[in-house]
Amino acid sequence: NREDFVAEIIINRPEKMNAMTPDMIETLGKICREVDRDDAVRVVLLRGAGERAFSAGSDLHALVAYPSIWDYRNRVDYATLVRDIRKPVVVALKGWVLGGGLEMALGADIRVAGKSAKFGTPEVIRGWVPGAGATQLLPRLIGYGRAMRLMLTGETISSQQAEAFGIVEYLVEDTAVDDTAMAVCRTLAKHSPIAVQAVKAATRAALSMPLEAGLKYENEMTTLCFAAGNYQEGVQAFDGRSAAAKD
């Protein structure tokens, strides 16, 4: 679904809490690559179908679809597909946000959650490691101690706790989640697409670069925006506001 430069991706398996299967992952990969290439798309909105869950992560029964451990090791990871989208990704979160579902949300840029949403990384309870980015992204987002609390205990936290931890940027009534997320998307879509993608690229670089290298990369992104000519429109708009204020 595309409207106002916003592409909406829906994880559509509500009867199974939008748990991901290999076929769903393959489809998601095609969609993510398509919206990333489409110049008519400036922002991506990701949400789950229904009210029970954004996503409960991987369908555990579907894991047997991998012929061997080697095939599993070389799988395409759905959270990585979301994380690799170059355009801003806003995610709307209702109900359960668990395991790989939480990792998909962590791969987005802005998270909008309903007050009844619940978050958790239960993998340790099942005997394995969060394998789609939580061990790397959660400490960077919320700090080591809070990340370890979630991943080592496997506990579920409320949306209010998730907001206090820094996992959620917008906390709203459940009935307002989709509209709020879309409003955020439309705000971002009004900006220069080169500028918003450059902001995302520079900020993502900060997660893995030393400070000096990151500052140089930021300068390159700024230069890219200037070279593309987008700054002229912003300067003209600013000059217009200044003139109006003087009048």
Side-chain angles (χ1 to χ4, degrees), residues 34-58:
E34 179 184 346
V35 299
D36 216 23
R37 292 192 299 262
D38 189 347
D39 290 338
V41 174
R42 296 185 179 184
V43 184
V44 176
L45 171 60
L46 176 66
R47 66 178 180 88
E51 304 297 320
R52 290 180 61 208
F54 165 66
S55 176
S58 299

Side-chain angles (χ1 to χ4, degrees), residues 102 106 121 133-143 147 150-151 167:
L102 176 57
L106 293 175
T121 54
T135 64
Q136 306 304 304
L137 297 175
L138 264 180
R140 288 170 164 83
L141 183 65
I142 66 176
L150 291 177
M151 291 187 289
I167 296 174

Side-chain angles (χ1 to χ4, degrees), residues 9-173:
I9 301 175
I10 302 172
I11 306 168
N12 190 16
R13 199 185 178 210
E15 71 281 2
K16 295 292 185 180
M17 295 177 62
N18 296 319
M20 300 294 292
T21 67
D23 287 343
M24 291 171 67
I25 296 168
E26 182 178 351
T27 300
L28 179 63
K30 292 177 182 177
I31 294 172
C32 288
R33 289 187 291 271
E34 179 184 346
V35 299
D36 216 23
R37 292 192 299 262
D38 189 347
D39 290 338
V41 174
R42 296 185 179 184
V43 184
V44 176
L45 171 60
L46 176 66
R47 66 178 180 88
E51 304 297 320
R52 290 180 61 208
F54 165 66
S55 176
S58 299
D59 184 327
L60 302 186
H61 298 291
L63 294 178
V64 298
Y66 294 100
S68 69
I69 293 298
W70 187 255
D71 291 289
Y72 175 78
R73 181 253 194 192
N74 293 327
R75 73 195 183 283
V76 175
D77 182 79
Y78 49 89
T80 301
L81 294 172
V82 173
R83 193 165 60 248
D84 285 348
I85 296 174
R86 292 170 296 180
K87 299 167 183 180
V89 179
V90 177
V91 62
L93 304 171
K94 299 179 186 177
W96 295 101
V97 187
L98 298 175
L102 176 57
E103 289 168 310
M104 269 197 289
L106 293 175
D109 302 297
I110 297 176
R111 287 158 286 276
V112 179
K115 290 184 177 179
S116 68
K118 296 179 177 63
F119 299 76
T121 54
E123 287 88 347
V124 71
I125 298 173
R126 297 166 181 155
W128 60 81
V129 174
T135 64
Q136 306 304 304
L137 297 175
L138 264 180
R140 288 170 164 83
L141 183 65
I142 66 176
Y144 180 85
R146 286 173 169 171
M148 292 300 279
R149 169 182 165 178
L150 291 177
M151 291 187 289
L152 288 180
T153 66
E155 71 175 297
T156 299
I157 62 172
S158 68
S159 58
Q160 290 78 12
Q161 287 174 294
E163 183 189 35
F165 279 13
I167 296 174
V168 170
E169 283 72 50
Y170 292 86
L171 182 60
V172 299
E173 297 295 336

